[in-house]
């Protein structure tokens, strides 16, 4: 009942971020830009569905965020109940990663649409080593049809799989498909969606972090010193290995770190600098395996920006290193060469002509300069544009673009 002089309060607009395969960590506050969502007038909820997505226990990272807007679900029934009780005119769902295509993720999409809700798929970026050839993904319809026909002739199972995908995307359609760089288009299960206006090209998360750091004028006491940065991947115990049911590529940790440290010693002597370690966000080292070198959390991008050179394996930071035109060593070790998957991923850079790979188990101080890679616009420009995304909105954070699009849609509901 309404009383005279009292206006009905409009429900607050809400964005629900659903994470299928990962916990919400401290770094994700920036990665998904919770502050920007709130600045745009949205109430934010984060739903963690890790326990639904895996049929075995996934250990929580030590740096999980435990804020009151984060909810961890144990059963699909709990999620279904929350969805059914929501005011869908004031809510919008963002599903991450958007390329998830399993029973749980498809059931969530179905439930949202059945309850007249709207959602967007937010796709995870690809590494060069697993990405398709660098080509334009916005083909015309004839190119898409030809690609499908070739796939179906190659394997009849692909036809069955694609028919299921067509049905799901038709019955339970997304409102938007968000991609980090043009490489993301290859994530689409339904290739016809490449031609759709619902596909929104954003820049990479690396570019987002760069813009945010520029605005914050992020500083670090190391930035005044001359240093090289090693971009750590925590290969000895990365939690994704357990999720995917694969073994760590590091069979002998002592050998792996010995080879790294010998190489770092050469770098420090050759270039008159110190080597610092940009730790992987999921690293949980019990001690310092880098002979006491400085190890820093959550400062990878700031460290890359001011480093005289970078050292890395097969890293998602590779496009950012190129974007800043940093000289770099792309390295492999005895353990990584013995792991078929890691060896293939690292050598793909050399196979495609982007980098020369340095085998640090064999290198000596005399030949080290032969393996440093410099930015070459003829080779790397296409790669940077393909992976880093559009530069014409480079002052806008991804979440600013996303929130503006969601607001426009909500105004029409």
């Amino acid at each position: 009942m309404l009383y005279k002089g009292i206006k009905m309060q409009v429900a607050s607009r809400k964005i629900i971020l659903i994470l299928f395969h990962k916990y919400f960590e401290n770094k994700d506050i920036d990665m998904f830009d919770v502050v920007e969502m709130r600045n745009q007038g949205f109430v934010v909820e984060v739903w963690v569905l890790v326990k639904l997505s895996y049929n075995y226990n996934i250990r929580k990272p030590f740096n999980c965020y435990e804020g009151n807007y984060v909810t961890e679900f144990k059963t699909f029934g709990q999620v279904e109940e929350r969805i059914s009780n929501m005011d869908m005119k004031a809510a919008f769902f963002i599903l991450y990663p958007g390329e998830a295509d399993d029973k749980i993720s498809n059931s969530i999409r179905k439930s949202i649409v059945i309850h007249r809700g709207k959602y967007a798929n937010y796709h995870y970026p690809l590494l060069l080593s697993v990405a398709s050839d660098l080509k334009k993904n916005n083909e015309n319809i004839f190119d898409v049809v030809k690609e499908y026909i070739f796939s179906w002739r190659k394997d009849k199972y692909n036809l069955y799989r694609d028919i299921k995908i067509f049905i799901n995307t038709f019955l339970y359609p997304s409102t938007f498909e968000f991609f980090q760089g043009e490489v993301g288009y290859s994530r689409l299960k339904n290739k016809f969606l490449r031609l759709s206006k619902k596909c929104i090209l954003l820049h990479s998360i690396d570019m987002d972090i760069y813009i945010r750091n520029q605005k914050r004028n992020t500083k670090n006491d190391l930035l005044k010193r001359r240093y090289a940065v090693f971009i750590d991947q925590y290969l000895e115990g990365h939690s994704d290995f357990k999720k995917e049911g694969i073994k760590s590529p590091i069979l002998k940790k002592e050998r792996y770190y010995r080879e790294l440290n010998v190489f770092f010693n050469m770098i420090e002597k050759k270039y008159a600098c110190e080597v610092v370690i940009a730790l992987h966000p999921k690293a949980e080292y019990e001690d310092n395996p880098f002979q006491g070198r400085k190890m820093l959390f959550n400062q990878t991008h700031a460290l890359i920006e001011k480093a005289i050179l970078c050292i890395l394996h097969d890293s998602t930071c590779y496009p950012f290193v190129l974007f800043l035109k940093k000289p770099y060593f792309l390295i492999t070790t005895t353990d990584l060469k013995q792991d078929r998957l890691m060896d293939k991923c690292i050598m793909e850079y050399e196979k495609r002509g982007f980098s020369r790979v340095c085998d640090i188990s064999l290198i000596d101080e005399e030949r080290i300069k032969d393996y440093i890679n410099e930015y070459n616009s003829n080779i790397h420009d296409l790669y940077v544009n393909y992976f880093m995304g559009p530069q014409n909105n480079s002052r806008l954070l991804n979440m600013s673009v996303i929130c503006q699009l969601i607001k426009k849609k909500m105004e029409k509901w």
Side-chain angles (χ1 to χ4, degrees):
M1 182 176 182
L2 296 177
Y3 294 91
K4 187 175 180 180
I6 300 179
K7 294 182 180 180
M8 181 182 293
Q9 185 176 6
V10 179
S12 299
R13 289 174 172 173
K14 183 180 293 186
I15 289 179
I16 301 96
L17 173 64
I18 297 182
L19 303 179
F20 291 122
H21 302 147
K22 72 185 300 299
Y23 286 99
F24 191 75
E25 302 167 54
N26 291 326
K27 68 181 179 64
D28 294 326
I29 297 173
D30 269 356
M31 176 177 167
F32 295 105
D33 216 334
V34 173
V35 172
E36 180 63 19
M37 284 191 267
R38 288 174 171 167
N39 288 342
Q40 294 276 350
F42 289 96
V43 174
V44 180
E45 291 185 15
V46 178
W47 296 3
V48 178
L49 273 57
V50 171
K51 292 187 176 179
L52 281 73
S53 299
Y54 296 95
N55 57 7
Y56 50 88
N57 289 331
I58 301 295
R59 187 171 64 88
K60 272 190 175 184
F62 72 95
N63 56 354
C64 273
Y65 181 74
E66 304 289 350
N68 57 10
Y69 60 87
V70 180
T71 305
E72 185 179 330
F73 292 86
K74 297 180 179 179
T75 68
F76 178 75
Q78 293 174 330
V79 184
E80 174 72 14
E81 183 179 2
R82 285 285 291 272
I83 291 174
S84 63
N85 290 325
M86 296 197 73
D87 177 6
M88 289 300 184
K89 290 185 177 180
F92 193 92
F93 296 82
I94 298 177
L95 312 187
Y96 185 88
E99 63 275 8
D101 183 29
D102 52 31
K103 183 177 179 180
I104 291 298
S105 59
N106 286 325
S107 295
I108 295 296
R109 294 182 181 97
K110 179 179 178 180
S111 180
I112 291 171
V113 173
I114 286 176
H115 290 93
R116 299 186 178 183
K118 305 290 184 182
Y119 75 91
N121 291 312
Y122 196 177
H123 296 267
Y124 186 79
L126 287 165
L127 289 166
L128 168 71
S129 54
V130 293
S132 59
D133 291 336
L134 305 190
K135 62 180 181 179
K136 189 171 176 60
N137 279 296
N138 286 325
E139 305 102 328
N140 59 50
I141 192 168
F142 300 107
D143 291 328
V144 175
V145 170
K146 282 192 286 186
E147 190 174 342
Y148 270 121
I149 292 174
F150 176 80
S151 173
W152 297 337
R153 284 177 175 173
K154 185 177 180 181
D155 187 342
K156 290 183 178 179
Y157 170 77
N158 292 341
L159 175 60
Y160 168 75
R161 177 202 64 195
D162 291 333
I163 288 174
K164 286 181 64 177
I165 291 171
F166 294 154
I167 292 172
N168 282 335
T169 53
F170 176 76
L171 294 178
Y172 315 114
S174 63
T175 301
F176 299 113
E177 300 282 337
F178 295 124
F179 302 100
Q180 301 170 45
E182 193 173 349
V183 65
Y185 281 110
S186 58
R187 287 285 197 186
L188 276 171
K189 303 293 184 180
N190 184 342
K191 296 179 176 62
F192 288 107
L193 291 181
R194 296 176 185 173
L195 312 173
S196 170
K197 292 182 179 179
K198 69 172 61 179
C199 290
I200 307 299
L201 183 61
L202 306 169
H203 48 240
S204 69
I205 287 178
D206 293 308
M207 177 64 79
D208 238 29
I209 294 171
Y210 176 73
I211 295 169
R212 194 177 291 111
N213 286 345
Q214 294 296 305
K215 290 181 177 180
R216 292 174 178 172
N217 194 24
T218 301
K219 294 183 179 180
N220 184 286
D221 62 351
L222 283 170
L223 301 187
K224 296 179 181 179
R225 306 177 191 174
R226 181 180 171 84
Y227 67 89
V229 60
F230 171 61
I231 302 168
D232 173 49
Q233 288 182 263
Y234 193 46
L235 294 178
E236 72 167 69
H238 196 299
S239 59
D240 284 357
F241 295 148
K242 296 179 182 179
K243 287 182 184 179
E244 302 300 327
I246 58 178
K247 294 181 180 179
S248 164
I250 308 303
L251 298 178
K252 297 183 178 180
K253 291 195 295 184
E254 296 80 6
R255 177 176 61 191
Y256 172 70
Y257 291 112
R258 181 177 68 251
E259 291 178 358
L260 282 179
N261 286 315
V262 169
F263 182 70
F264 295 161
N265 290 340
M266 290 184 193
I267 293 292
E268 289 173 336
K269 182 178 180 181
K270 177 72 176 177
Y271 295 98
C273 67
E274 66 175 314
V275 173
V276 299
I277 315 301
L279 288 175
H280 190 278
K282 295 183 180 180
E284 297 183 46
Y285 292 108
E286 293 181 1
D287 52 20
N288 187 330
F290 302 104
Q291 294 183 342
R293 291 181 171 88
K294 291 182 174 62
M295 305 191 302
L296 292 97
F297 262 118
N298 298 326
Q299 298 195 46
T300 300
H301 295 80
L303 290 170
I304 291 173
E305 189 176 351
K306 299 296 183 181
I308 63 165
L309 61 88
C310 302
I311 308 164
L312 65 157
H313 300 308
D314 178 29
S315 172
T316 55
C317 284
Y318 179 65
F320 189 67
V321 171
L322 291 182
F323 171 72
L324 293 177
K325 296 181 171 58
K326 293 291 179 178
Y328 65 94
F329 287 95
L330 187 69
I331 63 172
T332 190
T333 69
T334 300
D335 288 272
L336 299 186
K337 286 187 297 180
Q338 292 177 356
D339 184 271
R340 188 168 64 175
L341 178 59
M342 280 300 300
D343 185 55
K344 180 181 178 181
C345 288
I346 292 174
M347 295 311 298
E348 190 70 19
Y349 292 83
E350 189 163 281
K351 179 182 176 182
R352 297 196 186 193
F354 287 110
S355 304
R356 189 172 185 185
V357 175
C358 177
D359 181 352
I360 64 173
S361 68
L362 301 174
I363 195 69
D364 57 51
E365 196 172 327
E366 294 297 322
R367 295 185 298 126
I368 196 170
K369 65 179 185 301
D370 298 331
Y371 288 89
I372 193 165
N373 296 282
E374 301 280 354
Y375 188 88
N376 184 326
S377 59
N378 294 327
I379 299 173
H380 295 128
D381 278 358
L382 175 63
Y383 181 92
V384 170
N385 292 333
Y386 194 65
F387 278 78
M388 295 296 286
Q391 307 299 309
N392 56 351
N393 65 342
S394 59
R395 299 308 301 168
L396 284 176
L397 296 168
N398 281 344
M399 196 51 69
S400 299
V401 177
I402 290 172
C403 288
Q404 290 170 17
L405 289 168
I406 293 173
K407 280 182 178 180
K408 288 180 181 178
K409 281 292 181 183
M410 283 185 160
E411 288 170 358
K412 297 177 181 179
W413 297 351

